[in-house]
Amino acid sequence: MRQMAADQSRERISIGDLFDTMGDRAISALMLIFALPNAFPTPPGTSAVLGAPLVFLAAQLTFGLKPWLPKVIANRSMRREDFETIVGRIHRWLAWAERMLKPRLAIFAEPPAEYLAGAACLLLSIVLLLPVPLGNILPAITISVFAFGILGRDGLFALIGFVMTAVSLVIAGGVIYGLVKAAIYIVVQWFA
């Protein structure tokens, strides 16, 4: 990823480029690539570009399928400079997580628990796509924690991911509920 970000000959980096770079790596590695940048403040539209593949990848993880992306998603791209900024921000976090991972409580990071993690990531990736203020960060972190857990066969990370899923969904649900209530109030006041 750092080589791709530093390649001055590229004007844009597409999701397909990332997908090709990962090759036949695990779905969780691809999910990590698409989720982790959303855990930090990023240029507007990044969650739309990187969030859509998460829906497909999480669904594939849920059902134990091999990774693939439709062309309409694979062709989405961002400026190389924006990609370079994102890679620079997430690099130290990736290094930290790699030091923390170790095989433990594997029952929570392997099938069938892996399929439940996929279902949780599917819900979170849908939340990630919604235009909810500050709604991207916690779901993205949670998906990243699941991805780390599955990659490292670290059940502790997977368990933390399940707890974070509940917290993420409660917070996102509260924000959405508040926005809907505010919209209803405004509409009622408008016609009153």
Side-chain angles (χ1 to χ4, degrees), residues 40-103:
F40 303 94
T42 55
T46 302
S47 66
V49 171
L50 299 177
L54 284 171
V55 173
F56 287 95
L57 293 168
Q60 292 167 34
L61 180 63
T62 302
F63 298 108
L65 304 173
K66 290 199 180 275
W68 66 272
L69 292 174
K71 284 201 181 283
V72 71
I73 291 176
N75 290 337
R76 288 186 178 186
S77 66
M78 68 175 67
R79 292 178 350 152
R80 187 201 55 78
E81 293 84 8
D82 293 338
F83 182 74
E84 187 174 29
T85 300
I86 290 168
V87 168
R89 286 183 182 168
I90 66 173
H91 181 262
R92 69 183 169 135
W93 293 101
L94 289 173
W96 174 82
E98 285 178 345
R99 288 191 305 271
M100 299 298 292
L101 289 172
K102 57 183 164 187

Side-chain angles (χ1 to χ4, degrees), residues 27-182:
I27 290 176
S28 53
L30 295 169
M31 288 177 60
L32 183 62
I33 286 172
F34 295 122
L36 198 55
N38 288 302
F40 303 94
T42 55
T46 302
S47 66
V49 171
L50 299 177
L54 284 171
V55 173
F56 287 95
L57 293 168
Q60 292 167 34
L61 180 63
T62 302
F63 298 108
L65 304 173
K66 290 199 180 275
W68 66 272
L69 292 174
K71 284 201 181 283
V72 71
I73 291 176
N75 290 337
R76 288 186 178 186
S77 66
M78 68 175 67
R79 292 178 350 152
R80 187 201 55 78
E81 293 84 8
D82 293 338
F83 182 74
E84 187 174 29
T85 300
I86 290 168
V87 168
R89 286 183 182 168
I90 66 173
H91 181 262
R92 69 183 169 135
W93 293 101
L94 289 173
W96 174 82
E98 285 178 345
R99 288 191 305 271
M100 299 298 292
L101 289 172
K102 57 183 164 187
R104 57 185 157 194
L105 302 170
I107 192 168
F108 297 110
E110 296 174 345
E114 184 177 294
Y115 305 142
L116 290 173
C121 289
L122 181 58
L123 282 171
L124 293 167
S125 61
I126 292 168
V127 169
L128 193 79
L129 285 175
L130 297 175
V132 177
L134 303 174
N136 297 350
I137 295 173
L138 194 53
I141 291 170
T142 305
I143 293 170
S144 299
V145 167
F146 273 125
F148 279 127
I150 293 167
L151 276 171
R153 293 294 178 220
D154 193 333
L156 181 60
F157 269 67
L159 282 173
I160 292 169
F162 284 115
V163 171
M164 289 178 68
T165 297
V167 173
S168 297
L169 293 176
V170 166
I171 290 172
V175 170
I176 292 168
Y177 176 77
L179 290 172
V180 169
K181 289 288 276 186

